[in-house]
Amino acid sequence: MNNKSFANISMAVIRRLPKYHRYLKELLDKEIYRISSKELSRLIGFTASQIRQDLNCFGGFGQQGYGYNVEELYNEIGKILGLDKTYKLIIIGAGNLGQAIANYTSFEKSGFELLALFDINPKLIGMKIRDIPFRDVDELEQFTLDNHVDIAVVCTPKEFAQGIVDKLNEKNVKGIWNFAPTDLKVPKDIIVENVHLSESLFTLSYLLNEREIENNKQE
Ligand code: NAI
């Protein structure tokens, strides 16, 4: 288990780590065990100096003249990301998005175990996804009192999200993965990570428009 704190590392570096982790896994799957920062740079799309700088924040993993040991780097980044532990999840709001997340088995393989889905819709309550029960949202408060939950995934319409979060027991719920398009107010011990697919989509539409303008200029 990784007990070192990396609190001084910038969030920009932290947000690049999952990408390193993903590419290193692909290398391991191809039985590639050693890679230079130059090759890694070509693969990932970050400059070699960026890669060296990023990994130096954590004490560096490369060896002059050898490059990186892929397995060691993959394991170390996994530890820094906390992926050497397991996490218990619940999903609140079991509609399209909540069910899609529940059906995505890769999270489980990375150590994120889904305990239950909660919803207000009586048609859903009592059903199961992959043996995981849909429960009445009225049971949510008691459930988080009785059970340790690392992460609550909020997938309700935005107008209900704050009310839901207020019901979570702050001693037992450590983090919120928030998909509802609203800024949540939480006690200081709870960490919120917001996800906005639309931000990524709108960045793409910006880039498409920029390219069109450039192409028109060249014609
Ligand atoms: P949906 O309408 O399919 O599902 C919402 C579910 O929440 C329904 O099953 C409904 O019964 C349930 N619900 C409503 N009030 C509730 C309450 N008080 N307690 C518990 N459950 C309740 O909607 P969808 O498409 O799954 O979207 C869910 C949320 O995720 C919305 O806020 C939407 O804006 C957001 N969203 C965010 C994305 C992102 O990238 N952040 C992408 C897609 C959706």
Side-chain angles (χ1 to χ4, degrees):
M1 194 171 88
N2 181 51
N3 287 319
K4 270 189 261 172
S5 165
F6 297 104
N8 294 328
I9 310 293
S10 82
M11 276 312 284
V13 177
I14 303 290
R15 290 198 187 279
R16 282 195 286 274
L17 291 184
K19 190 166 177 183
Y20 287 113
H21 194 256
R22 177 160 54 87
Y23 276 93
L24 290 164
K25 173 78 174 75
E26 282 178 17
L27 288 171
L28 283 178
D29 289 344
K30 290 184 199 148
E31 300 186 0
I32 297 170
Y33 297 107
R34 179 178 158 179
I35 192 163
S36 67
S37 53
K38 213 165 160 190
E39 287 168 308
L40 197 56
S41 150
R42 210 172 313 121
L43 193 69
I44 300 190
F46 302 153
T47 65
S49 91
Q50 171 93 82
I51 291 175
R52 279 193 295 270
Q53 261 179 37
D54 282 354
L55 301 180
N56 276 341
C57 294
F58 305 98
F61 299 109
Q63 276 172 35
Q64 198 85 37
Y66 177 86
Y68 293 106
N69 176 324
V70 175
E71 192 164 18
E72 185 188 34
L73 192 55
Y74 173 77
N75 289 335
E76 287 303 316
I77 291 179
K79 279 187 210 163
I80 293 164
L81 290 172
L83 298 176
D84 54 337
K85 299 188 201 165
T86 56
Y87 299 87
K88 297 203 182 299
L89 264 69
I90 55 172
I91 292 175
I92 309 146
N96 290 309
L97 186 60
Q99 291 190 31
I101 293 171
N103 271 313
Y104 189 60
T105 50
S106 281
F107 293 140
E108 210 141 276
K109 290 183 196 132
S110 301
F112 297 88
E113 185 201 348
L114 182 59
L115 300 181
L117 298 103
F118 291 86
D119 205 283
I120 205 167
N121 181 351
K123 285 190 191 139
L124 292 175
I125 295 155
M127 281 171 48
K128 283 184 176 175
I129 281 188
R130 300 189 295 113
D131 250 8
I132 301 155
F134 290 69
R135 304 176 73 130
D136 191 326
V137 73
D138 284 347
E139 297 171 18
L140 179 65
E141 203 164 358
Q142 192 60 44
F143 187 91
T144 63
L145 259 178
D146 296 343
N147 296 277
H148 175 83
V149 174
D150 295 288
I151 301 171
V153 187
V154 176
C155 298
T156 61
K158 70 173 181 183
E159 55 273 31
F160 303 111
Q162 186 64 53
I164 293 290
V165 164
D166 292 341
K167 284 193 187 137
L168 301 173
N169 182 278
E170 64 184 278
K171 284 200 183 67
N172 273 341
V173 180
K174 303 293 172 209
I176 294 174
W177 199 23
N178 176 38
F179 286 84
T182 185
D183 291 323
L184 299 171
K185 291 186 190 67
V186 294
K188 68 173 178 15
D189 288 342
I190 296 185
I191 297 173
V192 181
E193 173 70 13
N194 295 303
V195 184
H196 297 296
L197 294 183
S198 51
E199 287 178 7
S200 173
L201 187 61
F202 297 168
T203 305
L204 177 61
S205 68
Y206 163 80
L207 292 170
L208 289 174
N209 278 294
E210 276 303 294
R211 178 172 292 177
E212 201 175 306
I213 292 165
E214 283 306 310
N215 287 345
N216 287 343
K217 268 194 217 158
Q218 283 162 19
E219 272 169 17

